[in-house]
C-alpha cells in the first residue's frame, strides 16, 4: 500500500508538472503570437542575425579599412519594399538621378552625413542633395552613408574632398551622430578618435572586418521574437554584444 501510495503521488506530481508545462508553453505561444502581430514580425527568422545585417540588409555595403563600411560602388538596387530605387556610383556616392545633365560639370557641392543625407526610404531623385542639385543647377555629390557617426562623416568628407575636388562642402549632422563617436562598433566595427596630449588621435584603423558568430542560446532563442524583444531590453550587453554598440570611451 505504501508503494501504491508513493506511485500515485509520483504520478500526480508528473501530471501537475505536465499540465503546468503545457500551460506555460501555451501562454508563451500566445505572447509570442500577440507580440509578432503587434510589431508585424510574421517571418520565421533569427532576429539576432537579422539585426547583425541591419546595414547591409537594406543597402549594398562593403568593408572599408578607413571608415568601417561604405556603400558598394556602381550598384543599382531596390529597397526591401521595392518602392525606392537606389543607385550607387563611383566611391559609393549616391545618384541624384540627373547624372546625364551634370556629367560635364565640375563638382559644385559635396554633401556628407548619415542616413538623412544618404536618403533612407526615398528614391535617388528624392534625396535633399538631389533637390539641392536642381535648385542650384549644379553637380552635387551625395556622400552620405547610413549609420555613420560624426567621426566617420568627417573622415568620409576628407576622403571625398581629395577624390572630387568640390567648391564647397555641406555637413549634415543629426544628434544621434554625436554619441557614436565614443563607439568602436555600431552595427560593424568603426574608427574612433581619442584625445592624447591635447590632440585627436585616430584609433582602430585599419578597421578590422566584423566577424559574427551566434552563441548557442542566440541560435535557438533568436527565432523567438518574444525572447529577442525581452532580452534586448533586459540584458542588452549579453544579448546584443556580438552586433550592437561597443563603447571605446
Amino acid at each position: 500500500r505504501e508503494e501504491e501510495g508513493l506511485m500515485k503521488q509520483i504520478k500526480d506530481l508528473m501530471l501537475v508538472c505536465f499540465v503546468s508545462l503545457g500551460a506555460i508553453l501555451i501562454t508563451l505561444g500566445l505572447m509570442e503570437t500577440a507580440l509578432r502581430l503587434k510589431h508585424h514580425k510574421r517571418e520565421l527568422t533569427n532576429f539576432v542575425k537579422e539585426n547583425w545585417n541591419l546595414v547591409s540588409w537594406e543597402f549594398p555595403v562593403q568593408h572599408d579599412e578607413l571608415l568601417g563600411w561604405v556603400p558598394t560602388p556602381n550598384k543599382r538596387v531596390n529597397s526591401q519594399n521595392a518602392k525606392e530605387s537606389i543607385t550607387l556610383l563611383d566611391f559609393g556616392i549616391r545618384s541624384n538621378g540627373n547624372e546625364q545633365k551634370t556629367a560635364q560639370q565640375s563638382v559644385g557641392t559635396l554633401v556628407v552625413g548619415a542616413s538623412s543625407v544618404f536618403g533612407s526610404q526615398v528614391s535617388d531623385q528624392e534625396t535633399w542633395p538631389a533637390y539641392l542639385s536642381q535648385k542650384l543647377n549644379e553637380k552635387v555629390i551625395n556622400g552620405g552613408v547610413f549609420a555613420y557617426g560624426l567621426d566617420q562623416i568627417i573622415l568620409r568628407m576628407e576622403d571625398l574632398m581629395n577624390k572630387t575636388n568640390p567648391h564647397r562642402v555641406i555637413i549634415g549632422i543629426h544628434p544621434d551622430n554625436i554619441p557614436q563617436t565614443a563607439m568602436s562598433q555600431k552595427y560593424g566595427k568603426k574608427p574612433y578618435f581619442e584625445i592624447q596630449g591635447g590632440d585627436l588621435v585616430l584609433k582602430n584603423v585599419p578597421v578590422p572586418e566584423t566577424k559574427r558568430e551566434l552563441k548557442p542560446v542566440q541560435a535557438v532563442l533568436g527565432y523567438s521574437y518574444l525572447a529577442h524583444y525581452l532580452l534586448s531590453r533586459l540584458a542588452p550587453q549579453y544579448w546584443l554584444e556580438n552586433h550592437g554598440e561597443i563603447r571605446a570611451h
Side-chain angles (χ1 to χ4, degrees):
R1 291 181 179 178
E2 290 182 0
E3 290 182 358
E4 291 179 357
L6 180 60
M7 288 300 297
K8 186 178 184 304
Q9 290 179 0
I10 293 174
K11 289 180 180 179
D12 290 342
L13 179 61
M14 291 179 63
L15 179 61
V16 170
C17 289
F18 280 125
V19 171
S20 299
L21 179 60
I24 292 172
L25 291 176
I26 291 172
T27 301
L28 290 175
L30 291 173
M31 292 174 64
E32 175 84 17
T33 302
L35 195 62
R36 279 175 173 266
L37 290 174
K38 180 180 179 181
H39 294 275
H40 307 287
K41 299 290 185 180
R42 302 185 181 185
E43 65 277 8
L44 180 62
T45 185
N46 189 297
F47 292 100
V48 177
K49 198 168 185 178
E50 180 181 286
N51 275 267
W52 282 356
N53 297 327
L54 193 57
V55 175
S56 58
W57 180 57
E58 186 80 23
F59 310 110
V61 66
Q62 68 182 31
H63 174 256
D64 186 88
E65 291 188 345
L66 173 64
L67 300 167
W69 61 89
V70 294
T72 305
N74 303 308
K75 282 272 189 179
R76 180 179 174 82
V77 298
N78 288 327
S79 65
Q80 279 203 328
N81 57 24
K83 292 182 179 179
E84 297 89 40
S85 62
I86 299 163
T87 307
L88 300 170
L89 310 175
D90 293 342
F91 316 127
I93 292 166
R94 184 161 186 189
S95 168
N96 291 325
N98 63 349
E99 278 67 42
Q100 291 184 344
K101 181 179 179 181
T102 61
Q104 304 304 317
Q105 298 179 5
S106 61
V107 177
T109 304
L110 166 64
V111 185
V112 292
S115 300
S116 60
V117 171
F118 178 82
S120 298
Q121 302 180 359
V122 296
S123 293
D124 296 332
Q125 68 277 11
E126 297 172 330
T127 67
W128 69 260
Y131 285 115
L132 182 65
S133 179
Q134 297 174 24
K135 184 71 173 178
L136 299 179
N137 193 28
E138 69 175 26
K139 191 171 187 176
V140 174
I141 295 294
N142 183 343
V145 181
F146 31 87
Y148 262 18
L150 182 57
D151 43 9
Q152 292 166 293
I153 292 171
I154 298 303
L155 292 170
R156 172 80 162 165
M157 177 195 71
E158 294 175 344
D159 182 51
L160 289 180
M161 284 181 66
N162 292 329
K163 292 174 178 175
T164 63
N165 192 30
H167 292 225
R168 69 188 70 84
V169 176
I170 297 175
I171 303 175
I173 301 176
H174 188 276
D176 289 344
N177 305 145
I178 298 173
Q180 291 175 219
T181 59
M183 300 172 189
S184 62
Q185 179 170 304
K186 173 75 174 181
Y187 304 123
K189 296 186 184 300
K190 60 177 286 292
Y192 62 93
F193 288 91
E194 285 187 353
I195 299 176
Q196 296 181 357
D199 296 321
L200 283 175
V201 179
L202 184 60
K203 296 288 186 178
N204 209 30
V205 173
V207 179
E209 291 196 54
T210 304
K211 295 182 180 180
R212 299 171 168 124
E213 293 183 2
L214 287 170
K215 302 172 185 175
V217 67
Q218 290 172 320
V220 177
L221 292 183
Y223 286 93
S224 167
Y225 187 66
L226 175 63
H228 176 69
Y229 182 85
L230 293 175
L231 289 171
S232 62
R233 287 159 176 78
L234 298 176
Q237 291 299 321
Y238 172 77
W239 189 245
L240 303 176
E241 63 177 349
N242 280 355
H243 76 277
E245 302 172 355
I246 297 179
R247 295 185 66 88
H249 49 78

